[in-house]
Structures are given as structure tokens and as C-alpha cells.
Amino acid sequence: MILIVGGAGYIGSHINKFLHAQGIETVVLDNLSYGHEEFVKWGKFIEGDLSDESILSHIFEKYPIDTVMHFAAFTYVGESVENPQKYYKNNLENTLNLLNLMKNHKVNKFIFSSTCAVYGEPEKLPLTEDHPLNPVNPYGNTKLMVEKILEDYSRAYDFNYVSLRYFNAAGADPDMEIGEWHQPETHLIPLVLDAVSGRRESVSIYGTDYPTPDGTCIRDYIHVLDLAQAHYKALEYLNEKNKSQVFNLGNGNGFSVKEIIETCQEVTGREIKVIEDSPRPGDPPILVGSSHKAKEILGWNPQWTSIGEIISTAWNWHKKLYGETNKL
Ligand code: UDP
């Protein structure tokens, strides 16, 4: 049985659904600060905070948990620059707390949601797992620190982990049971779709003077269902190999902010108002990853390679969540 910490959120809920489709039982722990209870349609749901040792101990005593997947992190780069304390408290201290309780209860397999933000400014593209790790914002720092802790724990204790460094998660469940729903929303694709449906007046481009072909930041967008498949493969890896690993999860293709806005307009057939704004602190100009290692070692086989199709699943979900036009 798997404990999914943060399983009511965007990525965790898709993984919960995917695991159930494979016949795997889950318990979801989520404090619903950003997650949605209605996203936990599979498995057992327990409302609670990662910092609450008694809830975690109760879960480990009551359910035969053998693996923990950990999604309960704050992920806003800009906010982490303004309020690092919030990020170190939750992403670092609470995760350490979780690992220590796992150790006490002899739960020794862990799948960690890491991020391409651990690399910082790329020295060489596409980013491979052995690229130097120099995060440029507190969010990336917290994720790297946890990766280091995992390395040390796996060396010292009977404990194995897989760290999955996500590039930009995007898209939604094609059955439209769950999808991206952040409050407040800060991510590019859902913000553009908000503008498309009239939920907001315009979209700002954060920085138009970056050293990229059109001057806007380039990111590697990966469908959330492909992330789900990778978690399943990582679980199989931990069960079979008894070893720890770190993998990038990206498509290997970069799209600029302008290209994403254009593709959203093409997919939806609507024009939006775009405002050129100043850069957001902590944003590297280009993040594109090689996922060769995950493909080779895990046999990961991403299905959603077209950015138009990824955005189209996000648009279908957006229409289901808010309606097609102008409903707030
Ligand atoms: N971005 C933007 N306008 C927005 C939101 C995001 O120009 O309203 C840019 C952001 O600077 C970054 C890219 O879009 O270069 C993706 O940002 P997002 O917040 O979606 O993901 P992140 O890369 O921060 O994980």
C-alpha cells in the first residue's frame, strides 16, 4: 500500500488515479491547503498536515504502507524568494519529519517530487542528471537539500528512494475527472486559458529580454499523465532493484512563453491580450531536460509529446471546471 502525501493536489491526484488503474491501493494524506478533497476519488483520504507526527504515526500503524510518495510541497518560485521561511519549514523541515517517522516505522521506500529548479542556470543543454546543481531560488534550494538528505539516508540506513526532477507539469486527465486547479493560479498555461475564457483580462509575459530566440523564457512541458507513468515505473524499480536513483522527467523540447501563448490561441481558436512585463525573480532563461536516463533505466515511455495536445487536455479540463466563457 502506498501513502501519497499531497495526493489531493494537481500532480498527486493524477498519480493516485494512475496507481488505482494498476490495482495498487493508496492512502492519501493532504491538509487541503492547496489540494481539493473532490480530487481524491480513489483510495482512502485522511485530512492532516505533514508536520503532525501523530497522524503520520497513526497511518503507519494502521495501514500496511511500504512506500511513500511525497507531493506536499510549496512550489511557487516567486513566493519562495519573498518568503523563504515558509519554504524551508514545509519543504525541508516537514519532509525531514516524514523521513524520520518512516524510519521509526520501518517504511523504507520513498519517491520524491524533485524539480529541474535544482540545476539553476544551465551550463549545458539539455540538462542531464549529472549537470552541476546550483539552484537560483529558495524553492530549488529546499528540493536540493532534501535530495542530499535522501542520499545520506540511503547510504546509512535500510532505505531507498527515487527522486524525480520534474520539468514543467502541464495538461490534465483526458477523462476530465481531475486537472490543474490552483488558487491563486501562477502557472503559465492555466493563466493563458483564464485569459482565453475571459476569467482574466490579459496575460503578462515575465521578461522579454532573455537570451533566447524570441526573448522570452523557455521551458520543457511534460504531461501530468506521463509523470504518473514515471512514478509507477519508479515504484517498480524500487520493488525490484533495491537501489536509489535520480531521474529527469521532461519531454526534451523547449517552448518559449510566446510560443505557449500562441499554441493556446491556436488550440482554443481565440486571441488574448498580452502584456510585456518585467522578469520574475529567480527565473532561469532556459530549462530543458534530457530524460534519456529515465527512458533507459525505468523504461519510461512518455505518450504526450505534442504541446498542442497537452494544452488541449488542459483546455478541456478548464472548460469543465469554469465553463467556456467568462464565469468567475
Ligand atoms: N510566466 C509568464 N507569465 C505568467 C506566468 C509565468 O511569463 O503569468 C513565465 C515564467 O516566467 C516562466 C514560464 O512562464 O518562464 C513558466 O512559468 P510557470 O510559473 O508556469 O512554471 P515554472 O517554470 O515557474 O515552474
Side-chain angles (χ1 to χ4, degrees):
M1 197 173 216
I2 314 288
L3 171 62
I4 307 182
V5 185
Y10 169 45
I11 301 177
S13 62
H14 285 81
I15 276 111
N16 190 25
K17 178 173 179 178
F18 193 95
L19 293 178
H20 276 264
Q22 314 299 317
I24 295 171
E25 285 191 75
T26 60
V27 175
V28 167
L29 173 71
D30 200 298
N31 67 4
L32 300 180
S33 63
Y34 289 101
H36 308 279
E37 191 169 351
E38 57 268 52
F39 278 12
V40 194
K41 298 178 199 287
W42 308 271
K44 166 106 194 127
F45 174 57
I46 296 169
E47 184 175 347
D49 199 86
L50 191 51
S51 61
D52 187 338
E53 297 196 4
S54 63
I55 290 191
L56 282 169
S57 292
H58 166 78
I59 293 172
F60 289 133
E61 278 154 26
K62 180 156 180 205
Y63 300 98
I65 306 291
D66 53 66
T67 307
V68 176
M69 295 191 182
H70 177 26
F71 301 91
F74 297 136
T75 60
Y76 298 126
V77 168
E79 183 187 55
S80 81
V81 175
E82 281 153 28
N83 188 1
Q85 185 189 358
K86 178 173 174 181
Y87 280 70
Y88 285 101
K89 166 82 187 116
N90 185 56
N91 294 8
L92 184 61
E93 191 180 323
N94 288 350
T95 302
L96 189 56
N97 183 45
L98 170 65
L99 291 172
N100 292 340
L101 283 160
M102 284 176 63
K103 183 170 170 292
N104 294 347
H105 291 88
K106 303 198 169 21
V107 177
N108 60 7
K109 284 175 283 184
F110 190 69
I111 298 181
F112 179 57
S113 301
S114 190
T115 167
C116 59
V118 295
Y119 295 114
E121 305 273 347
E123 288 170 15
K124 195 166 160 265
L125 288 163
L127 291 153
T128 48
E129 289 82 354
D130 56 3
H131 184 279
L133 302 170
N134 295 306
V136 291
N137 52 61
Y139 165 63
N141 281 331
T142 63
K143 291 286 181 173
L144 179 56
M145 287 173 189
V146 173
E147 283 200 9
K148 293 281 176 202
I149 293 170
L150 294 175
E151 229 177 283
D152 291 339
Y153 274 40
S154 72
R155 219 174 279 127
Y157 309 128
D158 171 26
F159 172 83
N160 284 305
Y161 70 93
V162 173
S163 279
L164 298 173
R165 293 179 182 156
Y166 310 157
F167 284 69
N168 286 55
D173 170 28
D175 305 333
M176 291 184 286
E177 289 190 278
I178 45 181
E180 194 162 12
W181 183 13
H182 297 115
Q183 288 162 323
E185 188 52 77
T186 65
H187 293 107
L188 180 63
I189 293 173
L191 283 174
V192 176
L193 297 178
D194 278 346
V196 164
S197 66
R199 297 186 72 250
R200 52 186 299 126
E201 286 213 335
S202 59
V203 163
S204 297
I205 299 182
Y206 296 145
T208 50
D209 212 10
Y210 281 101
T212 60
D214 67 16
T216 68
C217 280
I218 293 178
R219 294 287 180 272
D220 180 345
Y221 294 84
I222 180 79
H223 197 282
V224 67
L225 277 194
D226 285 330
L227 293 182
Q229 188 213 128
H231 285 73
Y232 177 65
K233 298 274 185 190
L235 184 64
E236 284 185 326
Y237 181 89
L238 283 175
N239 288 336
E240 285 164 19
K241 304 279 189 226
N242 212 21
K243 258 168 72 178
S244 297
Q245 283 285 4
V246 178
F247 297 108
N248 283 342
L249 299 178
N251 258 320
N253 298 318
F255 294 94
S256 71
V257 174
K258 281 190 177 163
E259 286 171 330
I260 292 295
I261 294 173
E262 275 157 26
T263 311
C264 287
Q265 295 186 141
E266 276 161 27
V267 165
T268 61
R270 296 191 201 161
E271 296 277 312
I272 61 160
K273 186 173 165 199
V274 175
I275 292 168
E276 298 197 346
D277 208 339
S278 44
R280 196 170 62 172
D283 260 349
I286 308 182
L287 290 171
V288 176
S290 159
S291 298
H292 183 73
K293 187 179 169 193
K295 288 177 186 165
E296 284 288 299
I297 296 180
L298 294 180
W300 182 50
N301 179 18
Q303 304 292 303
W304 297 82
T305 49
S306 144
I307 190 67
E309 283 175 23
I310 293 175
I311 289 174
S312 158
T313 63
W315 176 228
N316 288 338
W317 163 252
H318 182 99
K319 286 188 284 189
K320 182 178 173 197
L321 186 63
Y322 299 117
E324 203 158 330
T325 48
N326 209 19
K327 260 195 242 156
L328 290 172

